[in-house]
Amino acid sequence: MAHIVKCYYCGKQFDRDKEPFIQIPNMRRYAHKNCADGSNTSPERKDQIQLEEYVKALFKLDYVHPNVQKQINEYVNQKGFTYSGIYKTLFYYYDVMKNNKNAFLNNPTIGIVPYVYPQAKEYFYK
């Protein structure tokens, strides 16, 4: 019996019985062994994973809330933002500017990103 799973890093499906894999800690997700060491992952996907890990830590969640996933997709596909740009904007807003993140713990959102993105971009270019 085949155990087809989707790689957490590259998004491709594979049979975990036939290919070397790792299981992501604290999740029921799998990844190619090569993808886990970073040798098979695109830079854009690495940025996306970094953003997702930061959002999970920011809102103290085990997963990225669907509302936040929708916002990320909208910012990338419609506004032309990058994953690393969104990550840096959130880092700038919450860690550099020390804004309160506790107000959004019950209803996670990253709606501040379009308003702060230009300031964060300027901050990181300097």
Side-chain angles (χ1 to χ4, degrees):
M1 179 171 174
H3 291 101
I4 305 297
V5 293
K6 186 176 178 180
C7 178
Y8 178 72
Y9 296 105
C10 71
K12 296 179 183 172
Q13 291 187 342
F14 68 97
D15 187 349
R16 69 177 191 182
D17 293 336
K18 296 181 180 177
E19 295 184 42
F21 71 93
I22 62 147
Q23 187 168 0
I24 309 296
N26 301 328
M27 299 174 73
R28 297 182 73 191
R29 305 284 305 268
Y30 298 91
H32 293 107
K33 196 165 185 95
N34 291 343
C35 292
D37 20 352
S39 61
N40 197 21
T41 308
S42 72
E44 183 181 28
R45 181 66 181 140
K46 287 180 184 178
D47 292 342
Q48 183 181 12
I49 291 167
Q50 180 186 32
L51 172 61
E52 290 172 353
E53 294 300 321
Y54 182 77
V55 168
K56 289 191 291 189
L58 184 68
F59 297 120
K60 300 175 183 162
L61 297 171
D62 294 332
Y63 61 95
V64 179
H65 196 275
N67 289 342
V68 176
Q69 286 179 342
K70 182 179 176 186
Q71 288 175 311
I72 291 170
N73 290 335
E74 178 184 319
Y75 297 154
V76 170
N77 296 328
Q78 295 176 3
K79 296 190 181 287
F81 294 172
T82 62
Y83 294 114
S84 66
I86 297 169
Y87 164 76
K88 289 176 182 176
T89 300
L90 292 171
F91 181 83
Y92 171 77
Y93 186 73
Y94 289 112
D95 294 336
V96 175
M97 300 299 293
K98 304 289 185 200
N99 286 297
N100 185 9
K101 57 188 163 200
N102 294 330
F104 299 108
L105 291 180
N106 291 334
N107 186 19
T109 181
I110 59 169
I112 193 68
V113 169
Y115 302 102
V116 182
Y117 197 89
Q119 294 170 353
K121 187 175 181 180
E122 183 179 330
Y123 172 81
F124 281 102
Y125 276 131
K126 289 183 179 181

